[in-house]
Amino acid sequence: MIELYLKTNEIKKLDLISEIKTDAKDLFNIRIIDFTDSVLKEVSEKFGLDLSIFNQRKDIEISSHYLKSHDQLSFNFSIPNYNSETLFKEEEIFIIIKKEVVFYFLSSNIDKDFVNLTKTRYDFTSIHFGSHLEHFVFQIGIISDYYADLTEIISKRIKRFYENILNSKEYDATDLDLIMILNFNNLLIKESISNFQRILHLLIQNKFELITITTKINLELDDIAVISDHIQFNFDRLDDLEENINSKIDLEQNKIFRTLTIITVCISLPTLIAGIYGMNFKNMPELDWKFGYPSAIGLMIISFIIALIYFKMRK
């Protein structure tokens, strides 16, 4: 699907790249959702875009995700998608700025989340954008808000999990697995924000037609820095939670080992008596007693009870 954002704040939806007019003067940005290789080829040929950045998405270096030429700026970053109830999934976003038009290439999942976020927090119809760059900075603000929502979702899950752990008396491996999932999701957000911050810093440093909006980008960087602090708080909470669970598991194991130790000691005394009378010696007068057998049984029971009384007194 293709969406055109016009200077009149209108949104047009198209099905084919060929339907886009390259000489349209009221065009702010073009969003290409769930793009394919054939669509990328059409866009490249129609608008003269350099799409080499799509071939470097797996590179680690930030230089591979931020490419600047005399008439085009391209960058991309991955962003977690929170549609999953448990494990987040990374989605790629590619942004290209050329000839006063901003091109967005993203998945329908991320686009849906951005659209819902925009409708929830802003009256888009009442906002007037003076240029494609102002609209671009507005989209940066939406991404920043999206990061804040992701972090809030993780924070709520951690708090809810914390309450469940405090009210629970049983712990197992699934609790630790959930901590690992929350840690991983938090890590995805942290990595994505880190890359996004570096891209915004590069935008300011390279001044690619962005001199007029540098202040706004700096404000977004301040917001993202606050979000990063909350992400670190989440890591600290998860570390505390994992330590708490491990401590309680250790206490439960110590109780089990203590119980087993008491049982072992209590049984060892009757076993000692049984072992003595199981020896094949000729001179064992108790073997000839009329009450020898019940006396031995009684002695074993008494030794077991005495051991229990002793441990109970010692608590």
Side-chain angles (χ1 to χ4, degrees):
M1 185 175 67
I2 304 163
E3 293 181 348
L4 307 183
Y5 284 72
L6 308 179
K7 294 180 181 180
T8 57
N9 279 3
E10 293 181 80
I11 300 176
K12 290 185 177 180
K13 296 185 179 182
L14 306 176
D15 296 321
L16 300 174
I17 297 295
S18 58
E19 299 179 49
I20 305 175
K21 296 180 180 180
T22 56
D23 59 346
K25 296 182 180 180
D26 60 345
L27 189 61
F28 262 153
N29 75 57
I30 301 173
R31 300 169 77 88
I32 301 174
I33 303 165
D34 290 336
F35 53 88
T36 61
D37 292 339
S38 60
V39 170
L40 291 178
K41 184 178 179 181
E42 284 187 66
V43 174
S44 176
E45 293 174 351
K46 190 174 185 70
F47 294 95
L49 300 181
D50 177 11
L51 301 183
S52 57
I53 195 169
F54 284 83
N55 302 322
Q56 302 173 182
R57 65 182 73 182
K58 294 184 179 180
D59 293 352
I60 299 177
E61 298 84 359
I62 190 63
S63 58
S64 300
H65 300 270
Y66 185 94
L67 303 178
K68 179 187 174 220
S69 63
H70 70 284
D71 66 342
Q72 177 178 308
L73 173 65
S74 309
F75 58 89
N76 79 294
F77 57 96
S78 62
I79 190 167
N81 179 241
Y82 58 60
N83 284 335
S84 171
E85 288 295 325
T86 53
L87 198 61
F88 288 169
K89 179 183 177 182
E90 287 185 298
E91 303 276 3
E92 291 283 344
I93 297 179
F94 295 84
I95 300 176
I96 297 177
I97 304 175
K98 185 171 184 176
K99 294 181 180 179
E100 297 187 353
V101 178
V102 184
F103 296 83
Y104 297 87
F105 302 84
L106 66 166
S107 71
S108 56
N109 290 331
I110 292 295
D111 179 69
K112 181 181 66 176
D113 294 334
F114 285 175
V115 170
N116 291 336
L117 189 58
T118 304
K119 290 180 179 178
T120 302
R121 300 194 178 181
Y122 304 95
D123 182 8
F124 191 73
T125 57
S126 64
I127 302 175
H128 176 72
F129 301 103
S131 69
H132 66 295
L133 293 180
E134 288 185 11
H135 189 277
F136 168 67
V137 172
F138 177 79
Q139 293 298 320
I140 288 178
I142 294 297
I143 295 173
S144 178
D145 290 341
Y146 181 76
Y147 281 126
D149 281 359
L150 285 176
T151 306
E152 185 178 357
I153 287 173
I154 290 292
S155 298
K156 287 182 177 178
R157 289 180 181 176
I158 293 173
K159 289 179 181 178
R160 187 165 61 247
F161 185 39
Y162 229 121
E163 292 175 356
N164 293 337
I165 290 298
L166 290 175
N167 295 326
S168 177
K169 295 183 179 180
E170 296 182 358
Y171 316 95
D172 53 34
T174 57
D175 294 325
L176 296 176
D177 289 341
L178 181 55
I179 290 177
M180 291 296 295
I181 291 174
L182 293 172
N183 251 322
F184 182 73
N185 288 342
N186 209 45
L187 181 62
L188 289 181
I189 302 173
K190 181 179 180 180
E191 288 180 342
S192 180
I193 283 184
S194 177
N195 290 333
F196 189 61
Q197 282 177 308
R198 292 161 70 188
I199 288 172
L200 294 185
H201 282 298
L202 287 172
L203 285 173
I204 294 174
Q205 293 171 9
N206 292 328
K207 298 180 180 179
F208 182 87
E209 301 181 16
L210 296 170
I211 299 176
T212 58
I213 58 172
T214 297
T215 302
K216 294 181 179 179
I217 292 181
N218 278 320
L219 290 175
E220 295 301 334
L221 282 170
D222 292 339
D223 289 342
I224 291 174
V226 174
I227 296 171
S228 297
D229 291 338
H230 282 285
I231 291 173
Q232 187 57 51
F233 293 155
N234 285 339
F235 278 120
D236 294 339
R237 292 188 189 103
L238 288 169
D239 288 341
D240 291 341
L241 188 56
E242 184 176 10
E243 184 178 349
N244 182 272
I245 291 177
N246 285 327
S247 298
K248 290 183 176 180
I249 290 176
D250 289 340
L251 287 174
E252 291 298 322
Q253 289 178 341
N254 288 337
K255 289 180 181 178
I256 293 173
F257 289 141
R258 183 175 62 182
T259 301
L260 291 175
T261 302
I262 291 173
I263 293 174
T264 301
V265 173
C266 291
I267 292 177
S268 64
L269 294 176
T271 303
L272 174 64
I273 297 171
I276 293 173
Y277 286 104
M279 297 179 183
N280 295 320
F281 290 109
K282 291 182 179 181
N283 297 320
M284 295 184 72
E286 295 85 0
L287 296 179
D288 297 328
W289 291 355
K290 180 178 180 181
F291 299 102
Y293 177 73
S295 298
I297 296 296
L299 184 60
M300 286 188 276
I301 293 174
I302 291 171
S303 64
F304 182 82
I305 293 174
I306 290 174
L308 280 179
I309 293 173
Y310 172 78
F311 285 118
K312 187 174 181 61
M313 292 177 60
R314 295 294 299 270
K315 298 184 180 180

